[in-house]
Amino acid sequence: MATEPNNAAGAAGGIRSSDYTFPAGIPAFEKHTRFRLLENPLYAPIVVLESELDPAVRFACVPVALLAPDYKLELGEEDCELLGCDASQPGLVVLAILTFRHGSPPTANLLAPVVLNPAQGLGVQSIQWNAQYSHVHPVREERPCL
Amino acid sequence: MLVIRRKEGQAIRIGDSIVVEVLESTPNRVKLGVSAPPEVRVVRAEVLLAEAGNREAAAAPSADVLARWAQRLGRESV
C-alpha cells in the first residue's frame, strides 16, 4: 500500500491517497478489487473510496465509531482471511458507506461496514450477520453541547 | 406470508426443484440446508441489502454536498 499525496491537486490540497486491494470486491461490485481511499481535509471526517477500475464508482464513508461509538465489529474467518489478519489485529479502519438521497439526510450502512487493514493494504466489506445493525442508519449532524 | 412449522430433519419444497431442510435448530438460530439448481441464486438476505445499498451509494455526491455534511458531522480525521 502506498500513502502519498495524490498528484498536484493532492499536494496542493493535502489530499491523501491510499491504495487498497479488496480480494473479493464488494457486494454488487465484485470485479472492483482495487480502490483508492481519498482523504481530503475539506471533507473530513468523510472519506471517499474510489474504484480504480471505474472512478465513477465512488463511495463516501465515515468512521463507524463516529455514528455508533459502541459498535461491535465481528470479523468472520473468511473476512479475516481476505484482510490478511485476525479479528484482534490493531489498527483496522472501520468505515460506514453513506448513501445520499435527494431531499433527505444521508444514511449509513452499519450492517456491512468496510474494514481496511492499512498494514497489508487489504480491505473487505464485512456483513455483520449476527448483529441487528441497520443498512440505512440515519445520519444526524453533530450538535454542540450547550 | 406463508407460515409453516417444521422440525429438525423436516423440509419444505419450493416448486419442483428447490428443497429447504431444517438441519439444526437452537433457541437463537436455525441452520438450513438449501438444495437448488445452479441457476437459482441462494444468498442470505443481508447480501441483497448490501448489494442494493452499494448500488445506490456508488455515486458519491458532489463536492458541495460532501463539504456541507463534513461540517455537520464535525471535523475528525479517520
Side-chain angles (χ1 to χ4, degrees):
Chain A
M1 181 196 66
T3 300
E4 56 190 22
N6 181 25
N7 63 41
I15 300 173
R16 286 204 315 160
S17 171
S18 313
D19 297 334
Y20 285 90
T21 297
F22 285 63
I26 66 171
F29 295 92
E30 285 79 7
K31 290 181 181 170
H32 298 249
T33 56
R34 299 276 300 160
F35 283 84
R36 292 186 193 93
L37 181 71
L38 302 173
E39 300 174 66
N40 184 335
L42 291 175
Y43 306 146
I46 298 174
V47 296
V48 173
L49 206 54
E50 181 180 276
S51 167
E52 283 187 17
L53 181 65
D54 179 3
V57 175
R58 305 169 75 237
F59 299 95
C61 309
V62 291
V64 163
L66 189 68
L67 304 173
D70 297 328
Y71 193 86
K72 297 274 191 299
L73 177 73
E74 278 189 32
L75 285 177
E77 202 173 299
E78 188 179 342
D79 288 340
C80 287
E81 198 171 305
L82 293 171
L83 283 169
C85 66
D86 58 46
S88 61
Q89 164 104 5
L92 295 179
V93 176
V94 188
L95 302 171
I97 292 177
L98 299 176
T99 298
F100 291 81
R101 297 176 187 83
H102 185 68
S104 58
T107 58
N109 186 349
L110 298 185
L111 172 68
V114 169
V115 183
L116 303 176
N117 179 1
Q120 302 272 355
L122 293 171
V124 70
Q125 188 171 13
S126 172
I127 298 175
Q128 301 295 290
W129 310 108
N130 298 322
Q132 297 294 316
Y133 294 118
S134 171
H135 69 295
V136 286
H137 180 85
V139 174
R140 299 185 179 88
E141 59 193 273
E142 290 290 307
R143 292 188 172 81
C145 298
L146 300 176
Chain B
M1 177 191 292
L2 174 65
V3 178
I4 303 174
R5 293 179 197 279
R6 299 273 69 190
K7 295 177 181 175
E8 283 184 13
Q10 296 181 329
I12 62 169
R13 180 177 284 273
I14 302 171
D16 292 332
S17 56
I18 300 172
V19 177
V20 181
E21 184 180 350
V22 180
L23 300 177
E24 186 181 311
S25 175
T26 68
N28 292 326
R29 70 177 59 195
V30 177
K31 190 174 183 179
L32 302 174
V34 182
S35 302
E39 67 270 19
V40 175
R41 190 174 179 226
V42 179
V43 294
R44 290 186 260 197
E46 292 91 336
V47 172
L48 297 182
L49 289 177
E51 289 179 348
N54 285 347
R55 285 193 195 96
E56 193 176 6
S62 67
D64 286 352
V65 172
L66 283 183
R68 189 161 67 243
W69 274 97
Q71 275 194 335
R72 291 179 182 181
L73 287 167
R75 295 187 182 281
E76 295 176 24
S77 59
V78 173

